[in-house]
Amino acid sequence: MKKFKQYLNESDKHYSHFIDYVCTHLGIKCPKVTLVHDKQKAKEHKSFGGYNPSVKSIEVNVAGRHKADVMRTLAHELVHHKQDTEKRLKLHSEIGRAHV
């Protein structure tokens, strides 16, 4: 199983244990995860995170957020990845977002 910390820079490694735990609990290989430090991007997208099924990757904005909130977003997006691997993920065609 690929470890999440392979995708993190040194300042973000405090999330690695949590991500490893979630991936193990869900029984999935960790997708590529990018942590974004950009408050403006969150405002523009009106979202703190997202799962991209076409490239099997997750992006989560951490700027100005409490670690618990970031972890909740990470867990939510990892569930979308699991749903995708099980062919249960559907996309909202008009906005391109995942839902079940």
Side-chain angles (χ1 to χ4, degrees):
M1 184 175 294
K2 200 167 207 178
K3 298 293 181 182
F4 175 73
K5 58 189 155 212
Q6 293 172 326
Y7 300 113
L8 297 176
N9 63 42
E10 287 300 315
S11 66
D12 295 322
K13 284 195 176 177
H14 54 273
Y15 295 110
S16 67
H17 292 294
F18 176 76
I19 294 299
D20 286 343
Y21 170 79
V22 173
C23 288
T24 300
H25 181 74
L26 293 174
I28 59 173
K29 290 184 181 181
C30 188
K32 182 172 190 242
V33 177
T34 303
L35 299 179
V36 179
H37 301 268
D38 186 349
K39 287 182 182 181
Q40 189 59 36
K41 188 171 186 176
K43 286 180 184 177
E44 290 170 5
H45 290 127
K46 297 179 182 169
S47 178
F48 291 112
Y51 174 67
N52 185 338
S54 64
V55 292
K56 312 287 190 237
S57 69
I58 292 172
E59 183 176 283
V60 175
N61 202 317
V62 299
R65 299 180 68 207
H66 191 278
K67 289 177 187 174
D69 293 328
V70 173
M71 289 182 198
R72 183 173 36 250
T73 302
L74 285 165
H76 176 92
E77 300 307 334
L78 285 165
V79 168
H80 283 313
H81 176 65
K82 179 177 177 76
Q83 292 166 336
D84 187 29
T85 64
E86 295 174 345
K87 309 284 190 244
R88 295 187 300 126
L89 188 70
K90 298 174 186 167
L91 296 179
H92 245 266
S93 60
E94 66 275 5
I95 58 175
R97 292 190 181 158
H99 75 285
V100 179

